[in-house]
Amino acid sequence: MKWFTGYAENLPLPNQSVDAVVSILATHHFSHLEKAFEEMHRIIRDGAIILLTFDIRLSQKIWLYDYFPFLWEDALRFLPLNEQVNLIQSNTKRRVEAIPLLLPYDLSDLFAAAAWRRPELYLQPEVRAGISSFALAHHDLAEQGVKLLAADLSSGEWRKKYGDIHNLTEIDIGYRFICAMLDN
C-alpha cells in the first residue's frame, strides 16, 4: 500500500489510476469541493466513489448540541446533501445514490456524534481530540460544554433530561453514504 500527500483538489495520481475513491467525513475540510469531486472522477477507472458525509439539516437535534452548540454551527459547513449529490453528478456518467447511515449506540470509531448514547465519552480529552469540530473549536467553548456535561452527568440531570435516548439502539443524525457508480 502506498500513501501520498496531497490535496483533494489536486490529487497526485494519474488519470484513471485507481479502482475506487473513499472519503470519510472529509469534504468539509476541502477548500474547493467541486474541484475535489472533479479530481475524484479524473483518477478513478470503473469503480465507485464512496463518501461518508453529513448533513445536519437531516438530523434531529440531540443533547450533544445543547452542551456543544459549536458542533451544530460547524456541521453547517457541510453542503446540503442534495448539493453534494449534484456536484458529484455534474459532468459524469455515474449514478449517485445517498444512503442513510443509522448510527448504532456502540460505535468504536468516535467521530462527532458517534457517542450519542454515551455522553461520558465526550469528557475524555483524547476522544474530543479525534473529532475535528472539537479540535477546531475555541478551547473555552469546548471546556465550558465539558464542565456543564460533567456536572449534569454527576448530578443525574443529564439522565432526567435525555435518559430516554438509552431506549434507542440506533439513530439517524444526518450521516449519509453517497455512492457514485458507473451506469452500465
Side-chain angles (χ1 to χ4, degrees):
M1 182 179 294
K2 293 183 180 182
W3 294 96
F4 299 94
T5 300
Y7 294 92
E9 300 81 4
N10 187 18
L11 296 170
L13 297 167
N15 293 350
Q16 299 181 340
S17 61
V18 300
D19 295 321
V21 173
V22 177
S23 172
I24 300 174
L25 297 173
T27 59
H28 62 298
H29 296 293
F30 299 165
S31 62
H32 191 288
L33 194 53
E34 185 174 6
K35 179 67 175 149
F37 288 152
E38 287 172 6
E39 281 291 279
M40 291 177 193
H41 289 301
R42 179 186 67 77
I43 66 167
I44 195 168
R45 283 188 281 272
D46 298 332
I49 297 172
I50 310 289
L51 306 175
L52 175 56
T53 189
F54 182 67
D55 187 349
I56 194 75
R57 297 153 202 89
L58 303 174
S59 175
Q60 62 188 76
K61 198 167 186 179
I62 62 170
W63 66 267
L64 183 63
Y65 305 114
D66 292 339
Y67 293 92
F68 306 104
F70 61 86
L71 292 176
W72 187 271
E73 294 162 15
D74 187 56
L76 290 171
R77 292 182 9 193
F78 281 88
L79 278 181
L81 184 66
N82 64 325
E83 290 182 34
Q84 293 180 60
V85 167
N86 289 340
L87 280 175
I88 294 170
Q89 280 179 323
S90 64
N91 302 318
T92 186
K93 295 177 183 172
R94 293 185 188 280
R95 178 177 38 88
V96 179
E97 182 179 1
I99 304 163
L101 172 61
L102 299 178
L103 297 183
Y105 68 92
D106 58 353
L107 278 170
S108 59
D109 184 351
L110 296 176
F111 50 88
W116 58 271
R117 204 173 100 168
R118 299 172 289 166
E120 63 283 352
L121 290 178
Y122 294 98
L123 302 179
Q124 299 176 21
E126 61 275 11
V127 169
R128 294 192 312 276
I131 300 171
S132 64
S133 297
F134 277 102
L136 297 171
H138 190 279
H139 177 74
D140 292 344
L141 289 177
E143 284 304 310
Q144 178 182 349
V146 167
K147 287 178 183 174
L148 183 58
L149 177 58
D152 282 2
L153 286 170
S154 178
S155 71
E157 188 64 25
W158 186 92
R159 186 167 282 287
K160 284 182 203 170
K161 289 181 187 176
Y162 309 107
D164 286 348
I165 206 164
H166 284 109
N167 296 327
L168 303 175
T169 57
E170 60 186 20
I171 192 169
D172 183 353
I173 309 181
Y175 291 95
R176 297 292 184 271
F177 282 109
I178 298 178
C179 303
M181 291 136 312
L182 282 177
D183 273 335
N184 293 327

